[in-house]
């Protein structure tokens, strides 16, 4: 199969299982982001792909050729580390030329090629500067040029923006994405920053506890999360505990219509998940499905949108809308909130009576909706 294919990859360090059951395809010419919280196994996976770690079990192939045991220096994979790992005693041009020398490029063509690569990352004017005389963003560009010097089959980046300030990070994300599209190079980026992954990736692999939770486009992952973990890790989400009664889902004694009926038997605890932008404010009416009510406990403006926190009988619901549409919202007043059926997701819930206790959200979920 074309692309980089991982089959049933597992990695253990003594008692620690860093990765398990990893089956992934990294399509040729696409940028894939490995996204997940600290310790979920992203770097271990990237190092296995680079050949810097050996999997305990499983196989890797590139365009149909098995590379599981191929040493790192035979893989022709370019890598940019968090620290950039540039040679401080060499100039910008020499750093890139050194990489060309390692790749066996003859001396005559090295400086011309180095110049071309530095042109590509907009650093041609800095050829003679020492690394210590560059800003963080400029160092990152040099590290990218150096990694690309080897004309890698696969380009690997481990938290490439983590040393940069927020503004520069955003600029570099766009630059790196445009460069990747221009070169059409298969690229894998490790990040714990969901915005970075959404900005750059064709596909995102969301990881948690050593497993891949979901693989999909940024839109898929955001709009159709397959697990509560993905819903909570990507973007903001409201979580409501509910229960199935007579084939319908109830939360806070209100019946909820779903686009797809929940495949759960009566009595099952469930978790309803809804993005704040899919919640509308409405008049209080206890007879309408998908509608809860409660006091407005907090209101905040986040740029062009306003977030309204409503404490309902099924738990806190945050509603996000354009600020211009929420001018009449008053903290302390009671309001209704309607969760759009088309955007409501239903997952299995806790079997510990949580459905009966609307305040039984986990700390993570509370933090997430309050973020
Ligand atoms: P971070 O975002 O913090 O870098 P990560 O998602 O990249 O985290 P990994 O560095 O891949 O996570 O680590 C995954 C798990 O494997 C962690 O529990 C970590 O402690 C463990 N681990 C990683 N390397 C080793 C090692 N050499 N020996 C023992 N355990 C390790």
């Amino acid at each position: 199969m074309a692309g980089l294919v991982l089959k049933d990859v597992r990695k253990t360090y003594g008692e620690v299982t860093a990765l398990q059951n990893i089956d992934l395809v990294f399509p040729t010419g696409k940028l894939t982001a490995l996204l997940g919280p600290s310790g979920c196994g992203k770097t271990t996976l990237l190092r296995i792909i680079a050949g810097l770690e050996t999997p305990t079990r499983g196989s890797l192939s590139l365009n149909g050729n098995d590379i599981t045991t191929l040493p790192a220096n035979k893989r022709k994979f370019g890598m940019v580390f968090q620290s950039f790992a540039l040679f401080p005693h060499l100039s910008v041009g020499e750093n890139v030329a050194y990489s060309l020398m390692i790749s066996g490029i003859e001396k005559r063509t090295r400086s011309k090629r180095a110049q071309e690569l530095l042109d590509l990352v907009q650093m041609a004017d800095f050829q003679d500067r020492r690394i210590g005389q560059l800003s963080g963003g400029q160092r990152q560009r040099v590290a990218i040029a150096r990694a690309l010097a080897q004309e890698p089959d696969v380009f690997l980046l481990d938290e490439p923006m983590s040393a940069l300030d927020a503004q520069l990070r955003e600029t570099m994300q766009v630059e790196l994405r445009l460069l990747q599209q221009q070169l059409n190079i298969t690229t894998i980026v490790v990040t714990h920053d969901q915005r970075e992954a959404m900005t750059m990736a064709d596909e995102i692999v969301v990881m948690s506890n050593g497993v891949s939770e979901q693989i999909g486009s940024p839109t898929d992952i955001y709009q159709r999360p397959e697990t509560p973990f993905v819903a909570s890790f990507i973007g903001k989400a409201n979580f409501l505990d509910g229960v199935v009664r007579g084939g319908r889902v109830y939360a806070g004694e209100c019946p909820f219509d779903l686009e797809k009926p929940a495949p759960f038997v009566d009595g099952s605890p469930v978790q309803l998940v809804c993005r704040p932008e899919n919640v509308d404010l409405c008049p209080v009416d206890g007879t309408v499905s998908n509608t809860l009510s409660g006091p407005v406990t907090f209101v905040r403006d986040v740029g062009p949108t306003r977030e309204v926190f409503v404490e309902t009988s099924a738990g806190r619901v945050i509603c996000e809308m354009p600020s211009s549409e929420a001018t009449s919202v008053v903290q302390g007043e009671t309001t209704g909130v309607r969760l759009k059926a088309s955007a409501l997701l239903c997952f299995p819930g806790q079997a510990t009576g949580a459905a009966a206790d609307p305040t039984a959200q986990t700390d993570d979920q509370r933090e997430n909706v309050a973020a």
Side-chain angles (χ1 to χ4, degrees):
M1 187 191 282
L4 176 67
V5 180
L6 275 63
K7 279 201 184 133
D8 195 24
V9 167
R10 179 182 174 85
K11 179 71 183 175
T12 54
Y13 298 103
E15 298 287 288
V16 179
T17 302
L19 295 172
Q20 50 185 324
N21 311 114
I22 300 290
D23 286 299
L24 289 174
V25 177
F26 296 93
T28 303
K30 300 288 181 199
L31 192 150
T32 307
L34 303 179
L35 175 68
S38 182
C40 71
K42 309 177 293 289
T43 297
T44 304
L45 186 57
L46 197 76
R47 287 175 62 79
I48 287 175
I49 291 168
L52 301 170
E53 295 277 358
T54 314
T56 311
R57 192 178 75 197
S59 66
L60 289 83
S61 67
L62 183 64
N63 300 328
N65 301 313
D66 192 298
I67 59 163
T68 314
T69 55
L70 196 68
N73 60 354
K74 299 262 163 55
R75 286 197 188 188
K76 218 168 162 246
F77 287 7
M79 189 145 181
V80 173
F81 297 93
Q82 274 178 33
S83 60
F84 308 150
L86 295 164
F87 298 120
H89 58 288
L90 298 182
S91 69
V92 165
E94 286 164 345
N95 262 278
V96 179
Y98 181 82
S99 200
L100 291 163
M101 184 184 77
I102 300 283
S103 310
I105 307 289
E106 58 174 351
K107 198 170 179 186
R108 272 186 303 138
T109 50
R110 260 183 243 155
S111 65
K112 181 168 171 286
R113 182 86 185 106
Q115 171 86 42
E116 284 168 4
L117 285 158
L118 289 170
D119 256 344
L120 195 65
V121 295
Q122 298 163 37
M123 286 294 290
D125 294 342
F126 295 81
Q127 279 230 52
D128 300 322
R129 285 257 190 113
R130 299 264 146 200
I131 297 302
Q133 297 169 322
L134 300 178
S135 70
Q138 291 165 339
R139 282 179 212 203
Q140 196 210 38
R141 290 196 185 107
V142 179
I144 290 170
R146 195 182 60 170
L148 292 176
Q150 295 162 23
E151 296 186 3
D153 293 329
V154 181
F155 190 27
L156 307 173
L157 301 106
D158 188 0
E159 301 268 5
M161 317 290 174
S162 60
L164 310 179
D165 67 53
Q167 206 176 357
L168 184 57
R169 204 153 59 206
E170 294 234 339
T171 310
M172 292 305 294
Q173 286 162 5
V174 174
E175 274 189 27
L176 185 58
R177 174 57 164 161
L178 291 172
L179 182 65
Q180 184 271 332
Q181 285 176 326
Q182 184 186 341
L183 300 175
N184 208 21
I185 183 169
T186 310
T187 302
I188 304 171
V189 179
V190 160
T191 180
H192 62 266
D193 177 348
Q194 50 156 300
R195 203 175 149 87
E196 187 164 294
M198 305 284 268
T199 303
M200 293 169 59
D202 294 294
E203 290 224 307
I204 298 176
V205 178
V206 184
M207 297 179 64
S208 143
N209 287 326
V211 299
S212 144
E213 288 256 338
Q214 188 172 347
I215 305 156
S217 68
T219 311
D220 257 353
I221 297 270
Y222 184 78
Q223 290 184 353
R224 288 171 285 282
E226 288 170 3
T227 64
F229 172 81
V230 175
S232 68
F233 193 73
I234 311 280
K236 291 178 207 149
N238 293 297
F239 288 83
L240 300 177
D241 292 310
V243 65
V244 178
R245 282 204 309 257
R248 282 191 101 174
V249 172
Y250 285 78
E253 292 308 315
C254 174
F256 279 80
D257 297 321
L258 307 167
E259 202 166 54
K260 281 191 219 149
F264 302 112
V265 295
D266 269 15
S268 304
V270 293
Q271 208 169 30
L272 291 173
V273 177
C274 192
R275 300 283 183 204
E277 65 271 25
N278 294 320
V279 180
D280 293 324
L281 295 180
C282 62
V284 176
D285 185 344
T287 63
V288 182
S289 61
N290 293 36
T291 303
L292 296 162
S293 62
V296 174
T297 53
F298 191 63
V299 179
R300 70 174 174 191
D301 285 319
V302 189
T305 62
R306 182 163 294 175
E307 289 180 351
V308 181
F309 292 48
V310 181
E311 226 45 68
T312 77
S313 57
R316 179 185 298 156
V317 174
I318 298 180
C319 168
E320 183 182 335
M321 70 201 81
S323 301
S324 55
E325 288 176 20
T327 45
S328 61
V329 176
V330 179
Q331 201 164 323
E333 282 191 0
T334 296
T335 182
V337 283
R338 185 169 304 131
L339 284 66
K340 284 182 192 153
S342 58
L344 202 52
L345 301 163
C346 188
F347 297 107
Q350 308 281 333
T352 54
D357 177 5
T359 62
Q361 291 172 316
T362 64
D363 288 348
D364 278 355
Q365 288 163 1
R366 284 204 173 283
E367 264 172 33
N368 179 50
V369 286

